[in-house]
Amino acid sequence: MKSTLLLLVAAGLMAAGAANAQSGADLAKSKNCMGCHDLEKKKMGPSFKDVAAKYKGDKGAEAKLIAALKDGKGHPSKAAATDAELKTLVQYVLSAK
Ligand code: HEC
């Protein structure tokens, strides 16, 4: 029952509430971000560490990246994720070290 398991995981993530590195990492996997990205290495897309370094100190980065992923502008794919999930994902990417 894979879908039941996914639902349980999703519920768990919501219960966890505040975005933490772990739920961000899990979300990035479940949303297939890791098909084109890696934390450390460049794949088809830049590594999340490189993205974090690029936007270091940029206060508008979070909103900009959420918008890019939402509309597929400046990003090759639109992310099939809710606003809350996108926020968690982008915070995770920007906190990659
Ligand atoms: C089909 C492959 C693919 C998938 C799937 C994908 N990405 Fe990307 N992503 C890319 C590529 C390629 C770039 C580089 C785009 C560029 O620089 O023009 C990129 C760039 C980015 C950037 C940096 C944008 C910037 O302005 O520097 C972020 C952040 C990002 N992706 C996050 C995500 C997240 C989060 C997901 C999952 C929801 C995801 N990506 C899924 C290919 C992908």
Side-chain angles (χ1 to χ4, degrees), residues 63-83:
K64 191 193 138 165
L65 291 177
I66 289 174
L69 287 166
K70 210 170 155 163
D71 304 330
K73 278 189 203 135
H75 192 265
S77 68
K78 265 198 202 183
T82 65
D83 288 2

Side-chain angles (χ1 to χ4, degrees), residues 20-36:
N20 60 52
Q22 190 53 47
S23 65
D26 289 345
L27 207 51
K29 270 187 216 141
S30 68
K31 296 291 175 189
N32 263 338
C33 310
M34 304 326 259
C36 295

Side-chain angles (χ1 to χ4, degrees), residues 3-95:
S3 55
T4 312
L5 191 65
L6 279 178
L7 273 177
L8 285 175
V9 170
L13 286 177
M14 278 174 228
N20 60 52
Q22 190 53 47
S23 65
D26 289 345
L27 207 51
K29 270 187 216 141
S30 68
K31 296 291 175 189
N32 263 338
C33 310
M34 304 326 259
C36 295
H37 292 279
D38 186 86
L39 197 57
E40 314 253 351
K41 283 175 293 201
K42 186 176 166 28
K43 283 169 84 174
M44 185 175 157
S47 78
F48 285 160
K49 273 191 185 175
D50 285 350
V51 176
K54 176 177 163 188
Y55 288 105
K56 198 166 182 264
D58 182 346
K59 290 199 170 58
E62 186 177 316
K64 191 193 138 165
L65 291 177
I66 289 174
L69 287 166
K70 210 170 155 163
D71 304 330
K73 278 189 203 135
H75 192 265
S77 68
K78 265 198 202 183
T82 65
D83 288 2
E85 285 171 338
L86 284 175
K87 196 172 156 80
T88 301
L89 282 168
V90 168
Q91 284 175 349
Y92 165 66
V93 172
L94 290 176
S95 70

